[in-house]
Amino acid sequence: MDPNSAGALRRGLCAAAVVATLPYLTLKLLWLCGSTVGVADRAEALFEDGALWVANLVTFGMDSVALLLALAFVRPWGRRIPVGLLVFPMWVATGLLGSLVLELPVLLGAELLLPQEAPAAQQDWLQPWVFVLVYGGFALQGLALIAGFALHARERWADLLGSRIGELPVTATHRLRQVLVWVAAGLALPLAAAELYRALGGGYGLPQSVLDGPHRPLRIIAATTALMLLAACAAFLRLVLRLGPDRPLGPTLMVAWCAAGSVFGWGSWAVFADSLRFEAPGAADAVPPVTQLLAVGPAAVGLLLLLVGAVTLIERASGAADVESAG
């Protein structure tokens, strides 16, 4: 693809991502201002909960960052943003939105082909059109933003993406990065096994309120989480151990980027969402401590992989700076 066509495609994709954020941002802004549009009459009292207001504020901010990222990929000021300020939020956005892009077609296909399940209790307080607006927007936003970033990355870091696994330099922190990845893999394996157990229908450790609701979305999310945990650690192990040195770096780096972003993003969101539950849960919502640990686990795995990636980026930036000063 010639540069002009690639630039036009990137601008179109980022424009689509911006448009896809607007309905969600509008809805969240209305809720933050006290509106109950899209909320069932019997659930309007929920909006008096301060924790829900905080959650709406945080998700409004997250989608605002996604809008700014889409603009940064096509505007000149985007090239002046420090690489860390661009890479980290895009990594998290890729993980959050990429997982939804994978899960939604599977869930929709299951709903069409399999017997209907009773709706979840938490769905009773929202009008059906809200789910179409929110998740339809997320799907379009995810596809457009990730594709736009891929074109941006291919142009900005073409030398790295075009290299091979064996060409990755051995630096002073190479042993540290290997240790961190092995620890992450050791944590990820039992977590993935627990998620696969849930994906196959296991319900031990889940609150009664969850067991009484539809199981299909829970199983699909659990299967996706297990897949992301295993894929992230496998890709990082391949990179730090230089397995298949003649293989192109790009595909493995893409898997590591997307899967680790998903593990960190959704794991961190689960920890944050749990922290907003200021009141003691009722009997139907109570979970055993082991289940709470399993909820924190993916965030810990994602944090370890984030440290590996951050150290690598810092070393690469430092090496580039040394080359420039020597020149």
Side-chain angles (χ1 to χ4, degrees), residues 101-176:
V101 169
L102 287 178
E103 292 164 355
L104 283 175
V106 178
L107 182 57
L108 290 175
E111 291 294 326
L112 290 173
L113 299 175
L114 299 177
Q116 295 292 314
E117 290 185 318
Q122 61 267 30
Q123 293 178 349
D124 292 343
W125 64 281
L126 291 176
Q127 300 290 347
W129 64 264
V130 173
F131 293 93
V132 177
L133 181 146
V134 169
Y135 289 103
F138 281 160
L140 177 59
Q141 182 182 336
L143 290 171
L145 187 62
I146 293 171
F149 175 71
L151 293 174
H152 176 86
R154 190 176 68 171
E155 177 183 327
R156 188 168 183 175
W157 299 293
D159 56 337
L160 174 65
L161 297 176
S163 61
R164 298 189 177 277
I165 293 176
E167 295 172 2
L168 291 171
V170 177
T171 62
T173 64
H174 183 64
R175 180 62 62 183
L176 171 63

Side-chain angles (χ1 to χ4, degrees), residues 4-275:
N4 291 334
S5 299
L9 177 59
R10 187 172 70 250
R11 288 191 294 272
L13 288 168
C14 291
V18 169
V19 171
T21 65
L22 297 180
Y24 183 81
L25 289 175
T26 301
L27 183 62
K28 288 291 181 176
L29 185 60
L30 289 171
W31 286 351
L32 288 170
C33 293
S35 172
T36 55
V37 60
V39 179
D41 294 340
R42 60 183 175 278
E44 290 183 357
L46 288 173
F47 275 57
E48 298 176 3
D49 187 349
L52 182 59
W53 192 91
V54 171
N56 283 329
L57 179 63
V58 170
T59 49
F60 177 83
M62 290 167 64
D63 218 41
S64 298
V65 171
L67 185 150
L68 292 175
L69 285 172
L71 293 175
F73 297 149
V74 294
R75 303 304 302 166
W77 52 263
R79 288 300 189 107
R80 298 191 293 271
I81 297 177
V83 66
L85 293 180
L86 180 69
V87 168
F88 176 72
M90 187 60 215
W91 177 60
V92 177
T94 301
L96 292 172
L97 294 171
S99 295
L100 287 174
V101 169
L102 287 178
E103 292 164 355
L104 283 175
V106 178
L107 182 57
L108 290 175
E111 291 294 326
L112 290 173
L113 299 175
L114 299 177
Q116 295 292 314
E117 290 185 318
Q122 61 267 30
Q123 293 178 349
D124 292 343
W125 64 281
L126 291 176
Q127 300 290 347
W129 64 264
V130 173
F131 293 93
V132 177
L133 181 146
V134 169
Y135 289 103
F138 281 160
L140 177 59
Q141 182 182 336
L143 290 171
L145 187 62
I146 293 171
F149 175 71
L151 293 174
H152 176 86
R154 190 176 68 171
E155 177 183 327
R156 188 168 183 175
W157 299 293
D159 56 337
L160 174 65
L161 297 176
S163 61
R164 298 189 177 277
I165 293 176
E167 295 172 2
L168 291 171
V170 177
T171 62
T173 64
H174 183 64
R175 180 62 62 183
L176 171 63
R177 285 182 282 136
Q178 287 183 327
V179 171
L180 290 174
V181 173
W182 276 116
V183 173
L187 288 174
L189 284 176
L191 291 171
E195 295 293 347
L196 286 173
Y197 163 76
R198 291 181 178 176
L200 295 174
Y204 174 78
L206 293 175
Q208 189 61 44
S209 60
V210 174
L211 294 175
D212 291 340
H215 294 178
R216 193 174 298 143
L218 178 66
R219 293 183 182 184
I220 293 172
I221 293 172
T224 302
T225 302
L227 174 64
M228 293 300 176
L229 283 165
L230 296 175
C233 291
F236 268 83
L237 282 171
R238 185 173 193 181
L239 293 173
V240 299
L241 298 178
R242 287 170 172 72
L243 303 176
D246 294 331
R247 296 283 185 176
L249 176 63
T252 303
L253 192 60
M254 180 181 67
V255 173
W257 173 276
C258 296
S262 175
V263 170
F264 178 80
W266 285 110
S268 299
W269 174 256
V271 173
F272 169 74
D274 286 342
S275 71

